[in-house]
Amino acid sequence: MKIGILGAMEEEITPLLDTLGEFEEIKYANNSYYLAHYKNHELILAYSKIGKVNSTLSTAVMIEKFKAEKLLFTGVAGAFNPKLNIGDLLCATSLVQYDLDITAFGHPLGFVPGNEIFIKTDEKLNQIAQKVANELGKKLEFGIIATGDEFICDESKKAKIREIFQADACEMEGASVALTCATLNVPCFILRAISDKAGEKAEFDFDEFVVNSAKISAEFVLKMCDYL
């Protein structure tokens, strides 16, 4: 099976490449894609670059050019839900673009014609994730992730997004990845390790915790490949 694995930043892909050891690098569309073999699978790995446009492009390339049959996204996110702590694992059951705003025309925030507000991830992949969590002895949370082209470190913005969408965490790529996969009929899984408490001095926490959190996510996603 061809499995695409994406992370937004180099730090989120490096642990996977280090584990795999051998891979081929292909430069395409101003990015690098890494091809590797893992057991019976062909893996396509890349960092999507930060933001919704970049992650949409990288996801589409993985599916259209490299023929990924399933897509796993690994990385970090800021917590909205007070029950989430740094290092916790969160699996997105659905995602929303919190900065998609045509409310001036009477539509709800996060909606544009032709799209649903919430984009669901693949239930079977989420079930596999729970099996992996049980096997590794890790607690896995499930919830809603809000995506937007902004690093949230403001308490008022955090409170607004959480109130409107009941979001458990926020980041800058997940919803666009999920929407691209849904449009192209490819099952999608989004895993985030909590790297900071968005709004609570997030700008200071992020750099310190991003590397360790990314390692946790990467190990988890690679283990999922064993079940596919």
Side-chain angles (χ1 to χ4, degrees), residues 194-215:
I194 300 302
S195 61
D196 59 86
K197 306 281 279 185
E200 299 177 14
K201 297 183 179 179
E203 66 274 23
F204 298 107
D205 293 337
F206 186 79
D207 287 338
E208 181 178 356
F209 289 99
V210 65
V211 175
N212 288 335
S213 297
K215 288 179 180 178

Side-chain angles (χ1 to χ4, degrees), residues 103-114:
T103 55
F105 297 96
H107 295 293
L109 191 65
F111 171 82
V112 291

Side-chain angles (χ1 to χ4, degrees), residues 150-155 157 198-203:
E150 179 181 8
F151 183 79
I152 299 295
C153 52
D154 180 270
E155 287 290 346
K157 290 181 180 179
E200 299 177 14
K201 297 183 179 179
E203 66 274 23

Side-chain angles (χ1 to χ4, degrees), residues 6-7 12 30 141 147 153 158:
L6 272 175
E12 294 167 339
N30 197 33
E141 302 288 349
T147 300
C153 52
K158 171 182 175 180

